[in-house]
Amino acid sequence: MASLTVKNIPDELYDRLKTSAALHRRSINSELLIYLERALLPSNATPEQHLDKARELRQQVRTDRLLSEADITDAKNDGRQ
């Protein structure tokens, strides 16, 4: 495999990459590879495959923990005080 050195990364960009890596429990190098793959190797999934994945994810949502419209309104109003 090839190696790559990236120079002159702006501090803000590096900080965001570092934070993202920590959130995903990956090294900075692994996180950067994930971003490069997503940007340069687009998915060949069909729209139907994307919809199937969305339906699968939707079924995993716990409906007993969904917020009501009133809950959302209350949270917005609390944040405005």
Side-chain angles (χ1 to χ4, degrees):
M1 290 188 150
S3 292
L4 175 69
T5 301
V6 181
K7 297 180 180 181
N8 301 320
I9 301 171
D11 291 337
E12 182 181 354
L13 182 59
Y14 179 78
D15 291 341
R16 285 181 163 198
L17 181 62
K18 186 176 178 180
T19 300
S20 181
L23 287 172
H24 296 117
R25 298 176 185 245
R26 293 193 269 256
S27 68
I28 294 172
N29 186 76
S30 294
E31 192 72 5
L32 183 57
L33 287 175
I34 295 291
Y35 281 113
L36 287 172
E37 286 174 354
R38 287 180 184 165
L40 301 174
L41 302 174
S43 170
N44 291 329
T46 65
E48 291 79 19
Q49 289 170 322
H50 284 294
L51 287 172
D52 288 342
K53 181 65 176 175
R55 289 183 185 109
E56 177 185 324
L57 291 171
R58 188 176 296 139
Q59 288 178 353
Q60 295 174 13
V61 173
R62 291 181 53 188
T63 57
D64 63 321
R65 298 188 72 193
L66 294 178
L67 297 173
S68 68
E69 185 174 341
D71 292 332
I72 295 169
T73 300
D74 290 344
K76 288 193 293 189
N77 289 335
D78 286 343
R80 292 183 178 138
Q81 294 176 352

